[in-house]
Structure formats: structure tokens, C-alpha cells
Amino acid sequence: MAILEARDVHIAFGGVQALQGVDLTLNEGEILAVIGPNGAGKTTLMNCISGWYKPDKGRILLEGRDITGLPADKVAAAGIGRTFQNTAIFHGLTVLENIMVGAHLWMRSNFLSCMLYWNLAQKEEIEVREFAEEIIDFLEIEHIRRTPAGALPMGLRRRVELGRALAMRPKVLLLDEPMAGLNVEEKEDMARFVLDVNEEWGLPVILIEHDMGVVMDISDRVMVLDYGRKIAEGTPDEVRQNPKVINAYLGVQSEAV
Amino acid sequence: MIYRETGVHHTTYRTDMALFRVPLARWSVAGLLVVAVVIPFFATDYWFSAILIPFLTFTIATLGLNLMTGYAGQVSLGHAAFIAVGGYTATILLIYDIPFLAAVVLGGLMAALVGLVFGIPSARIKGLYLAMATLAAQFVLPWAISRVVPLVVPTGLAVAGGDTVYPPRPNLFGLEIDSLFERYFVSLAILVVMTVFAMNLVRTRVGRAWVAIRDHDVAAKILGVNITHYKLLAFAIGSFYAGVSGALMVFFYYGVAHVGEFNLDLSLKLLGAIIIGGLGSIIGSFFGTAFIILLPIFLNISLTFLGNAAGFQVSSGIIAGIENIVFGALVVVLLIVEPLGLAKFWQNVKDYFRLWPFSY
Ligand SMILES: Nc1ncnc2c1ncn2[C@@H]1O[C@H](COP(=O)(O)OP(=O)(O)OP(=O)(O)O)[C@@H](O)[C@H]1O
Ligand SMILES: [Mg+2]
């Protein structure tokens, strides 16, 4: 059963056709890896899904509901949580507060009750704090809960960002290169968290990743983008054998040489 | 106020999330309040009118500006204009026999409304461009005030072309607020309430959304924060604080609503105060206000003293010039070396003693 679908998505920037008729299907409970050479359009596709870019053509459907063209905050409220390729944590907030911002969209207290710290606001703050602590436990970051996020190294920033996205209680999680810039040990931790999120919370995940080892290990299906087009899709093994994929990657390598 | 954390363990999130988490913090705040209550029994008239009352009333304004600029990241060069709106509104309401507290709150609300309108550009522009747009408030509002006020103030109460208005003596529940002593306590009570409100805002959902927008507006939006809503809220609440402080300035400090006081110079001073005190810090607003009030007094005394010692007269023009240089230089230096301002130095002292005697 498809929970998220992108149909025939097109988008151009000036003369650059970043996406040309891309289809994507994410099924309930699966991890879908999106791979492709640099500049293939992976991040652009995520930006279209999360409402940051409006596709020139095509639709985005979440549980069958059309969310194309909704403003990004409404898309978040509809149930799409994500992290960013170039981490985008809130430097001035602590780790705990960063994660609590994730809960912002489903919290209800308005500015008056916040100002008075009355009844609803107080109850809700404590509730959300408890919820955030569960995420903090899960990600094993208890020791830094009161550290300003701006002071953290990359490995922990990526973890905090994952925590923040989880606090949104999303229906779908988009992870844009969550392992970029991490060392081997940190990558293993992150891979474990992604698997746990998927298995224990039953959350479907779209994972953009360059590390083929990780992709082959943890994804159920793989989709390959090149120059804004989908060139292959299937199980990790099928995709690895696909001559088009080999070509795309070899092409990049020979260009790079 | 030294926050010793050693030996303090919270067993519920409720106590861990209290306004002052550590008993020593609670005690030091209590101690500070005691000092605030005792000081006026020893203060001279000069202390009241040159230091204490301006400190209490201006701090409300810097608190508001810090919520807007320090927390939400919306730079405003029009704060003095919103102060003026509050000051005039409250004065006029008092003339029409509206009770004191209601006049102050309504002054704040009127400023909030006007601030909201001048905040609308923030939906589209930010940073320097937004600062320029708020500068418009600083030019438009005093002009509008000088046009509108003569129309609504009964003749005889306004002087100097109609835009200088003396408020009647305010009274609280039938008691006149007249002496410096009384003005001090009424201002103190209102400042305490406004401070608690500000602290509550910044530690809850609203404050987190503001800082999120300030630090990374794209991420904030993609996490579901309605950016425009929270920016406008920052303008409205920041201007509400400005309006309330304006009412108290007019009633208790200046004793008159005079549009010339609320000029660009004041807006820049307040902005400098929160930069020096600490952007995004409640206590920083207190430090910053104390700084802008004490700096001229300190320079005046020390330069006059030095001048006398060296045997020449230091003119007030020179002192004012030096004040501007020192102030400007400090703003620049702090922006470069310590954007968190005096509050950061304070934090360092606290961190040192927090775990004392086990500071390892
Ligand atoms: N906002 C934008 N303005 C102009 N061009 C853009 C914009 N966003 C993306 N592009 C272009 O679209 C193309 C795809 O970029 P995208 O960032 O999606 O690639 P990617 O697959 O995520 O690459 P990487 O692996 O390097 O992250 C690139 O040519 C990029 O320059
Ligand atoms: Mg990318």
C-alpha cells in the first residue's frame, strides 16, 4: 500500500531541468533509498515533497490526499517530517528545545496561555517534555540535553535533527544524507537508529544516501535518479546489476578523473 | 545570584521545568526583590529620578525589544515610536478618566496594534531591509502623533503646538500615585509582572518558535512553524511592551508626553542596550538598560573629576560626545567578540560557581 506518491514531477531552475517526470512510490513500513550522482535531483525531489519547492508539473499525494503546492508548514502538519543534507539545527536552542520545536506543530497552547504558563500551556509543556525525553533516550543523547545545539559536532547534530523530525510524529520520514560527514562508528549508529525507527515505530522512510554499503544493507527498495530522471528502481540487488546504473556511476567517475 | 546545582536532582519534569530550577536561583531572585524593596528607603530624590525610575520603566521597553529582536530576530529601529504610541494613548485615556491600570494596558494594546501593522513587511523581507522598513515607523508615527493628538486632547491641556501633553495625576484604586516613592513601587510591580510574562513566553512553545525562526527560518517552516504568524506576534508583543513602558515613562519619568523624546536616538539606544546586555536574554535586558542609564552618569562624574584634577572645565557637550563614542565602540566590540553580551559574562560566572565546590 502506497503511503506517499509523487507522480510525474517536473521542475526547472532557469535553464536547468532538475526533475523531468519523476515518479516515486513509498509503501507502508518500508525504507526506500534514493540514490544518484551529485546534482541528480535527489534533494530537489525532497524539497518538492516537503512543499519547499512547488513542482512545475506533477502531483504529490500523501495517503491519497493531494498535498501539491501546500505551503511547507501545512505539508509538515499533513505528516511529512524531514532532515537536511546541510544540517539545519537551531543553534541558539538546547538539544532538548530543538527536539521540542519538532512537537510545535501538534501543540495547542496559544501565546496567552504560554505567557501566563497557565493550565493548558503548563500541562502541555510537561507532556511534550516527557515525549522529548523518550526520543532523547532512544537516540542516546541524554548527556547533552541541555547543551546549545550550535556547540555540537556534526555526528550529534545529525542525531538531534533526526530527533526533531521524530518529534513531529510524522507519517513519513525523509532523510537527506543523514550519514554525510560522519565517521564509521557514527554511521553505524545512525543506520541502527534508522532501522529502529522503521521497525519499532513502523515509520516509512525515504533515505538519500551515497554510501552504497549502507544503502544495500538497510533499504527495502532503491530508486536511482540521474540528470533529473528515474533510471532504475527495484531491490538493492536488482539495482546493483542494472547496466544503466553502473553506467551513470561510472560516467561520473570517468568525468571526475 | 550563583546557581549551585550540586546535590539538586529533580524527580519530576514539573519541578525540572519550574521558572527557577535550582533553589539557590529562587533564593537569589527573592534576595534581589528584597533589595529592590529596600533601596527606595535609602534613595535620594536624585537616585529615584535619574536612575531607579528610568531603569524600571526603560527595562520594560528593552524586554520587549529583546523578545522581538533578540529572540525572534526581527530587528526594529522603530521601538521609540511604539513607546510614543503607548505613552500618548495612555495619557489621553487618563485625561478622559479611564483608570490608571486600564490606561496603561490599553496604551500597550494600541502600541501592539500599530507595531503589528509596521511588522507586516516582515512577512516578505528580513534583516537590513526589514530594519529599514521599521525605520518608517520612526518617521511616520511621531508625525502622525503631532497631527492627531491636538485633535483629541481638550484645548488647554496641550501645549507647544498641541503635541506636548501633561497627563493628570494617575491614581490606583483611589490612591494618588504622586511621590517618587509611589512611582517607584508601581513601576516595580509592573516590571516584575512583565518580566515573568517574558520569561514564560521564551521558555514555552512561542519562545522556541521565535528562536527557531531567528536561527533557521527554512527549517522552522519545514517543521511546521507558521513563520508569518510568529513574526507578527513578535512585533505585537514587543510593541505591547514598548507601549506599556511608554505609559509609565510619561506618567512617572518624564511627567509629560513630548513626542521629541521618542526619537530615532532612543530607538538606537535601546537596540544598543540589548546588544550590550545580551541578545536573546531576559537578564541581558536588565544589564543593558542599567548600562545605558549609568554610562552617562558615570562618565559625567569621572570626566568632571578628571577635568577638575587637571584644572580645566569639561563641557557637557564633550561628555555627551564621549558617551556616544564609548557606547558605539562597545556595541561594535561586543557584536564582534561576544554577541551574547554582558549576559554571557554573567553566564560564565554562574557556570563557574554552579557546580561549586565540585567544579570538575
Ligand atoms: N534553488 C535552486 N536554484 C537553482 N538551481 C537549483 C536549485 N535547487 C537545485 N538546483 C539544481 O538542480 C540540480 C539538482 O540538485 P540537487 O541538489 O537536487 O542534487 P542532489 O541529487 O541532491 O545532489 P547531491 O548529491 O550533491 O546532494 C542541480 O543542478 C542544482 O544546481
Ligand atoms: Mg542533495
Side-chain angles (χ1 to χ4, degrees), chain A residues 47 50 52 71-74 76-77 80 82 84 86-93 97 100-102 104-105 107-111 114-117 121-122 124-126 128-130 133 146 164-165 168, chain B residues 5 12-19 21 196-209 211-227 229-230 233 237 240-241 354:
Chain A
N47 284 340
S50 59
W52 190 249
D73 51 330
K74 296 285 184 308
I80 293 189
R82 73 171 280 190
F84 300 85
N86 316 304
T87 59
I89 48 157
F90 305 121
H91 291 234
L93 294 177
E97 289 167 330
M100 287 173 82
V101 174
H104 178 93
L105 65 89
M107 290 178 78
R108 287 289 150 261
S109 41
N110 62 18
F111 82 93
C114 283
M115 196 160 101
L116 301 170
Y117 201 56
Q122 187 174 7
E124 193 175 55
E125 285 289 320
I126 293 169
V128 170
R129 169 73 191 271
E130 282 167 4
E133 290 288 347
R146 291 201 183 274
R164 197 176 65 178
M168 298 166 74
Chain B
E5 225 167 45
T12 66
Y13 291 127
R14 191 165 191 284
T15 57
D16 195 44
M17 294 167 76
L19 201 51
R21 286 172 56 230
V196 171
F197 284 173
M199 292 177 89
N200 284 339
L201 279 171
V202 302
R203 69 189 174 128
T204 51
R205 180 172 187 244
V206 173
R208 287 189 299 266
V211 178
I213 292 171
R214 177 197 75 189
D215 284 355
H216 206 303
D217 54 355
V218 174
K221 187 157 174 86
I222 286 178
L223 284 166
V225 178
N226 184 333
I227 306 276
H229 174 94
Y230 279 92
L233 187 65
I237 291 181
F240 176 77
Y241 274 71
R354 206 160 54 113

Side-chain angles (χ1 to χ4, degrees), chain A residues 11-14 16-19 34-47 52-53 85-86 176-177 208 210 225 227-228:
Chain A
I11 190 167
F13 302 100
V16 182
Q17 277 291 336
L19 294 174
V34 175
I35 64 171
N38 292 114
K42 306 181 294 293
T43 300
T44 304
L45 182 58
M46 295 310 118
N47 284 340
W52 190 249
Y53 293 161
Q85 183 171 352
N86 316 304
D176 195 346
E177 301 199 22
I208 299 182
H210 279 298
L225 284 183
Y227 291 112

Side-chain angles (χ1 to χ4, degrees), chain A residues 146, chain B residues 1-8 21-22 24-25 346-360:
Chain A
R146 291 201 183 274
Chain B
M1 278 212 285
I2 294 159
Y3 303 154
R4 286 177 57 190
E5 225 167 45
T6 307
V8 179
R21 286 172 56 230
V22 191
L24 216 87
W346 174 242
Q347 184 70 40
N348 293 344
V349 174
K350 263 177 16 187
D351 284 346
Y352 180 78
F353 284 105
R354 206 160 54 113
L355 302 174
W356 194 84
F358 308 115
S359 357
Y360 48 78

Side-chain angles (χ1 to χ4, degrees), chain A residues 10 17-22 40 224-232:
Chain A
H10 287 72
Q17 277 291 336
L19 294 174
Q20 310 182 51
V22 174
V224 190
L225 284 183
D226 191 23
Y227 291 112
R229 289 177 200 277
K230 180 158 80 179
I231 58 168

